[in-house]
Amino acid sequence: MVKKKNMTLVTKFFVAILLQFVIFSTADSRSSINDTQSNRQRTLRKQSRGPLLYPPVQLQVFDDHVIVDNGIFSMTIASPEGTVTGINFNGIDNILNDRNEKSDRGYWDVNWSDPSNPKDNLDKLAGKEIDVIVENENQVELSFKRPWTISEENKHVSINIDKRFVVLRGSSGFYSYGIFERLNGWPDVDVYQGRIVFKLQEKMFRYMAVSDERQRIMPTFEDRDKGVPLEYPEAVLLTHPSNYLLKGEVDDKYQYSTENEDNRVHGWICSDPPVGFWMITPSNEFRNGGPVKQDLTSHAGPVTLSMFFSTHYAGTDLGMKFRDGEPWKKVFGPVFIYLNSVTTEDDPISLWVDAKEEMLMQTESWPYNFPNSTDFPRAYQRGAVTGRLLVHDTKLAFASSAFVGLAAPGSIGSWQEESKGYQFWTQTDEKGYFEIKNVRPGCYHLYAWVPGYIGDYMYHSIIYVFQGSKIRMGVLVHKPPRNGPTIWEIGIPDRTAAEFYVPEPNPTLMNQLYTSQRTESFRQYGLWDRYTDMYPDQDLVYTVGVSDYETDWFFAHVTRNVGNKTYIPTTWTVCFDLEYVITGNYTIQLALASATAAEVQIKINDAGATLPVFTTGLIGRDNAIARHGIHGLYWLYSVNVLHSQLRAGRNAMSPYNNDNDNDDIPHV
């Protein structure tokens, strides 16, 4: 958790006001490679990967470690702990940072706490026994297990752990997946984060790539240690970096976060010899929070992560809370750790292009047919759900590019706070048709939302997916909440603040990667304080019909910095004209893209009124602004406004941030 005194935050408003005539009872890194030459290269690579063309996979077992070698690379794994201590590839004795302890090079870990003693605990999930699941010339699969016992109640998370590593013949990389299980009757526990971590040789791997646009030379851990810490421990001003071009820049791992839907491949490039190390995630089914949930990728170190679940950009509501002996089992992965190389005459950046091609091939191969666990269903054991989504607002229209998904049964929008189950998402075509493939057998609700329309859709009957089933949903219709015609609106109902005004960063606190990328400029550090620079005394006033939300609506409703680490609430004013007021009620639709320890109060035509017309109450813990995000959890409120509260002519609505929490970061 990132904390800062005297600040809270809430990100972006989309605001629309509707007239009700009756009384109120009533898709980067997934970019495809389309050119003919590239497709031909992919086909040739596939045809050349027959296992007989490569040496057999060999396993060597020693007292405290094992070595798996397929002739392309070899990996050393501590036994029975199940931590990767070495990777030998293309003449590099060890790609991993061998200056670190053996337990701190390539490992799984989780963060957990005892609800009766909410202290954050880190468990590196060290195994206690090793099992050779498969050993033949085409495949080696190893299992590192740690059964949980009551004697470890205060030492380790109360979950049975089974970490798997798979090496295939002819494969330039290895797979890892885990099977986590809790048995009935086990003690209460909260689990907040689970991931795989790889720490590479920092003198060799200096160039990081997260997407086509986000790639650059990165600082080292030593560079960060020599820098000046900023408001959060993750953020450092580089003052004495080993690469002089980085001097004066801000480094923060959250500046390289990515939405789940785009988090398919990221990693590092070594220029001498030209070698790449990549984390490839072929499916999001095991990740938490849905397709637009954001999480970490790679960051300075050099570090590469596979984030299976976390509370980042959502808060503790997204943590897994097990109570009353609840049993549970889930498979995380497999993910693919890919190694590639080119000749010294080639451009090392071509390794990124190749990694994207490999990601496409791995995605096309999902679900894999090689994991030897009955908990991982093959393609023939899965089902599919198809249908068509329309949207009925002022008229019936195709729900184009809508997100449609299956997740655990719940309430409307509950998928964004769900971590225990699996989720399967797709997007509709231009006419609203969708197909959700490779769905694990189970019971689900179908959820959806349509960019450009407020609200969520949920098909209220539970959908039961069986092995091999093909379920046709027919035509579904999303009806966004509406109580009358729209009088005015500010912003676009797309669940982000991307359309609003994002200021230039403080010139002394910049990351040069984002200076020329307007679509990513919100990732700059310290933008919350720019509101104070722009509005040092008076707050923002927006006049409907005159102001432009792209230039006049600050992207986050934040507190004002008045010095001495003190932040005070701010009151924004929306001025709008009504030619006349019709008897009946009006409705304000208030959509928030994020909130952190904030309370939004609304007053209409009486800023000095003791009681607001509406208050959200204290909401949110997603830290999206501090983590350079443009959205977190989505909140939607329908606010009833009496016609007697409005008047013909000029009206003023004042959303006010009431700072009820002095323990976090800026609020919107």
Side-chain angles (χ1 to χ4, degrees), residues 495-571:
R495 297 173 180 250
T496 83
E499 71 271 27
F500 296 131
Y501 176 70
V502 177
E504 294 292 331
N506 185 317
T508 65
L509 298 172
M510 298 179 69
N511 183 320
Q512 294 297 333
L513 180 62
Y514 300 118
T515 55
S516 61
Q517 297 183 28
R518 293 304 304 168
T519 59
E520 302 277 357
S521 60
F522 61 86
R523 300 187 187 278
Q524 294 281 14
Y525 175 84
L527 298 182
W528 51 86
D529 277 339
R530 300 300 280 166
Y531 179 83
T532 302
D533 296 336
M534 295 175 60
Y535 302 95
D537 302 307
Q538 302 297 318
D539 282 320
L540 184 153
V541 176
Y542 186 96
T543 302
V544 174
V546 177
S547 302
D548 182 347
Y549 62 74
E550 292 185 353
T551 56
D552 301 321
W553 188 271
F554 199 81
F555 81 109
H557 191 167
V558 296
T559 49
R560 176 179 288 107
N561 184 349
V562 295
N564 197 28
K565 296 186 177 180
T566 301
Y567 293 79
I568 62 173
T570 55
T571 301

Side-chain angles (χ1 to χ4, degrees), residues 160-390:
N160 283 337
I161 304 298
D162 183 355
K163 300 180 297 183
R164 303 284 184 100
F165 295 94
V166 182
V167 177
L168 302 180
R169 188 174 189 174
S171 177
S172 188
F174 59 94
Y175 301 84
S176 188
Y177 68 105
I179 306 165
F180 289 11
E181 181 179 26
R182 280 176 48 87
L183 301 184
N184 186 43
W186 280 8
D188 295 351
V189 69
D190 295 334
V191 187
Y192 296 110
Q193 178 174 280
R195 62 183 186 172
I196 298 178
V197 182
F198 289 96
K199 298 180 178 179
L200 313 183
Q201 293 278 8
E202 63 179 0
K203 291 185 178 180
M204 302 182 71
F205 291 88
R206 296 297 304 272
Y207 192 89
M208 186 184 78
V210 173
S211 70
D212 287 336
E213 295 76 25
R214 293 200 284 163
Q215 46 185 273
R216 63 169 303 172
I217 294 291
M218 293 290 288
T220 64
F221 267 143
E222 185 178 358
D223 292 338
R224 288 177 53 86
D225 287 341
K226 292 179 179 178
V228 176
L230 299 174
E231 299 289 352
Y232 312 100
E234 294 86 355
V236 172
L237 180 65
L238 303 173
T239 55
H240 298 85
S242 53
N243 186 322
Y244 73 94
L245 295 175
L246 298 175
K247 186 174 182 179
E249 290 202 40
V250 171
D251 178 70
D252 186 337
K253 65 182 180 181
Y254 290 107
Q255 291 180 316
Y256 304 101
S257 295
T258 298
E259 280 83 359
N260 282 345
E261 63 171 335
D262 297 322
N263 191 354
R264 296 301 182 110
V265 56
H266 58 87
W268 294 85
I269 292 174
C270 169
S271 59
D272 185 20
V275 165
F277 183 95
W278 309 101
M279 180 63 67
I280 293 177
T281 305
S283 171
N284 285 321
E285 67 180 44
F286 42 80
R287 284 174 167 159
N288 68 335
V292 296
K293 196 269 183 187
Q294 300 157 97
D295 226 318
L296 297 169
T297 55
S298 292
H299 61 80
V303 175
T304 291
L305 305 170
S306 176
M307 301 296 300
F308 294 125
F309 61 94
S310 80
T311 59
H312 296 148
Y313 300 93
T316 55
D317 289 340
L318 201 52
M320 294 188 290
K321 298 175 175 60
F322 297 100
R323 299 291 185 271
D324 303 320
E326 176 187 356
W328 171 76
K329 179 185 282 190
K330 188 172 181 179
V331 177
F332 296 98
V335 294
F336 184 51
I337 295 84
Y338 179 52
L339 309 168
N340 61 356
S341 63
V342 293
T343 67
T344 54
E345 288 77 25
D346 293 320
D347 184 353
I349 304 302
S350 64
L351 294 166
W352 164 248
V353 177
D354 177 72
K356 291 195 300 179
E357 292 190 19
E358 184 66 32
M359 177 272 292
L360 292 174
M361 295 169 63
Q362 294 292 331
T363 302
E364 291 168 3
S365 300
W366 187 269
Y368 297 134
N369 60 10
F370 57 79
N372 276 267
S373 171
T374 57
D375 294 308
F376 184 80
R378 304 291 194 270
Y380 75 89
Q381 297 173 304
R382 297 174 178 238
V385 176
T386 62
R388 189 183 194 187
L389 183 65
L390 305 178

